[in-house]
């Protein structure tokens, strides 16, 4: 019996498999580049110390353009959402009386 049974089989076409392998490879490469760039930034910050980094207008503009593309969490990781069970009610304002 074919077609309507509850044990429907899923078959990947060869081109779909190639696309999935390619996407996985590209993702791995991107993650390696990101890891390298983060390490490079950390090393440069350690070498520079706590001194303020002086940027010229062109450098500031280039960073702003790239930062806008990344959105508000581009520089930092987004805050973790608290589950309902771990809410700290002291952080929430009291309702007016």
């Amino acid at each position: 019996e074919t077609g309507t049974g509850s044990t429907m089989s899923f078959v990947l076409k060869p081109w779909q498999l190639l696309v999935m392998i390619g996407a996985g490879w590209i993702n791995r490469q991107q993650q390696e580049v990101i890891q390298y760039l983060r390490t490079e930034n950390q090393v440069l910050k350690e070498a520079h110390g706590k001194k303020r980094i002086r940027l010229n207008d062109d450098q500031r503009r280039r960073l702003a353009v790239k930062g806008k593309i990344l959105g508000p969490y581009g520089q930092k990781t987004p805050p973790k959402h608290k589950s309902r069970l771990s809410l700290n009610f002291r952080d929430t304002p009291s309702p007016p009386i």
Side-chain angles (χ1 to χ4, degrees):
E1 180 177 318
T2 60
T4 60
S6 63
T7 58
M8 205 165 144
S9 64
F10 179 77
V11 179
L12 247 87
K13 294 181 173 67
W15 68 268
Q16 291 172 321
L17 183 60
L18 286 175
V19 168
M20 289 177 62
I21 291 170
W25 181 81
I26 290 170
N27 182 46
R28 186 172 56 247
Q29 292 294 111
Q30 288 176 335
Q31 292 302 317
E32 289 173 1
V33 168
I34 290 168
Q35 184 178 6
Y36 170 79
L37 291 172
R38 285 183 174 165
T39 303
E40 182 181 46
N41 284 344
Q42 183 180 5
V43 168
L44 290 173
K45 285 179 182 179
E46 290 169 0
H48 198 270
K50 293 187 177 189
K51 293 185 282 185
R52 182 178 172 194
I53 298 173
R54 309 281 291 188
L55 302 175
N56 63 31
D57 289 340
D58 183 58
Q59 292 168 327
R60 196 174 296 110
R61 182 195 57 78
R62 289 184 352 227
L63 284 174
V65 167
K66 295 298 181 185
K68 185 171 176 92
I69 292 169
L70 292 176
Y73 297 115
Q75 297 295 320
K76 307 275 187 230
T77 56
K80 296 192 189 263
H81 296 288
K82 295 181 180 179
S83 70
R84 291 179 194 256
L85 297 176
S86 66
L87 284 176
N88 186 352
F89 291 104
R90 289 176 283 179
D91 293 341
T92 57
S94 300
I97 296 177

